[in-house]
Amino acid sequence: MLAMHLIVRRMKKLSRVGVALLLFVATHAMARVGQVAPELTASTWLNGGPQKLADLRGKVTLVEFWTFGCYNCRNVEPHVKQWQAKYASRGLVVIGVHTPETAYERNLDNVKNYVRDKHIDYPIVIDADSSIWSAYSNDAWPAWYLIDKRGLIRHVHVGEGAYDQTEREIEALLAE
């Protein structure tokens, strides 16, 4: 319910078209809650080898869709890095899904440089063909999906904000 409260608060600042788009994206993403998380299938990974969600059963996984050229993704980044640093020892696994939008973002060297320069040390899968994006029915950057220890999507957030709520969700899933 808190997520809807934040959406309503943001709607006051948007045009009617913006409100409709925000509601569509949020509703579409929320439809994934309770479903088995799609596997992260891609051949290019940074900061480690391929991560299979099936191998991460028993852990909580945060899958973050982002692209380095997205201003909003950059604003979310410190929070994701903080959660990874704070909760990795308790069983949180963070996996970034870099789904590029522009030709500049599609250049693998540019992604590698960004990851290195920003000290991102969790695994990043390169979703160059948007196949993971499509499997999750994702609609926007940034977006994160919290996956429980059984492999089910339990929380979805699209856009900036709701950091405290997401951290509470992480803590609750780790406690299960």
Side-chain angles (χ1 to χ4, degrees):
M1 286 298 129
L2 181 59
M4 280 303 190
H5 169 71
L6 292 172
I7 290 169
V8 170
R9 210 168 78 203
R10 286 182 183 165
M11 283 195 270
K12 293 177 183 175
K13 298 178 183 178
L14 297 174
S15 67
R16 287 185 181 156
V17 172
V19 168
L21 182 60
L22 183 60
L23 283 173
F24 171 79
V25 168
T27 303
H28 196 239
M30 296 297 184
R32 301 285 309 170
V33 172
Q35 295 181 6
V36 174
E39 199 52 74
L40 305 174
T41 55
S43 59
T44 304
W45 286 77
L46 306 178
N47 298 335
Q51 300 283 313
K52 296 255 183 232
L53 294 178
D55 295 339
L56 296 175
R57 297 283 159 86
K59 295 183 181 280
V60 174
T61 305
L62 183 143
V63 173
E64 179 202 15
F65 285 88
W66 69 289
T67 186
F68 72 85
C70 168
Y71 179 80
N72 304 94
C73 296
R74 289 188 215 144
N75 291 338
V76 166
E77 185 179 299
H79 300 278
V80 175
K81 288 162 68 174
Q82 178 186 15
W83 295 328
Q84 192 259 350
K86 185 174 181 179
Y87 296 108
S89 65
R90 291 183 46 200
L92 177 68
V93 175
V94 175
I95 300 174
V97 179
H98 186 270
T99 308
E101 181 177 25
T102 66
Y104 183 72
E105 295 165 345
R106 289 183 195 289
N107 182 306
L108 186 57
D109 287 333
N110 293 338
V111 181
K112 288 177 180 178
N113 290 337
Y114 184 88
V115 168
R116 183 196 64 236
D117 293 348
K118 296 299 182 178
H119 308 287
I120 298 172
D121 61 0
Y122 47 82
I124 305 288
V125 59
I126 305 300
D127 187 26
D129 63 356
S130 300
S131 60
I132 300 170
W133 175 283
S134 296
Y136 276 77
S137 300
N138 196 54
D139 290 316
W141 300 271
W144 56 74
Y145 295 74
L146 276 173
I147 301 166
D148 70 12
K149 295 174 183 179
R150 298 171 297 152
L152 301 177
I153 297 171
R154 296 280 296 278
H155 176 77
V156 177
H157 182 78
V158 177
E160 296 182 55
Y163 303 116
D164 292 339
Q165 177 195 9
T166 300
E167 186 162 359
R168 285 191 301 273
E169 294 284 344
I170 291 168
E171 290 173 346
L173 291 175
L174 288 169
E176 285 184 354

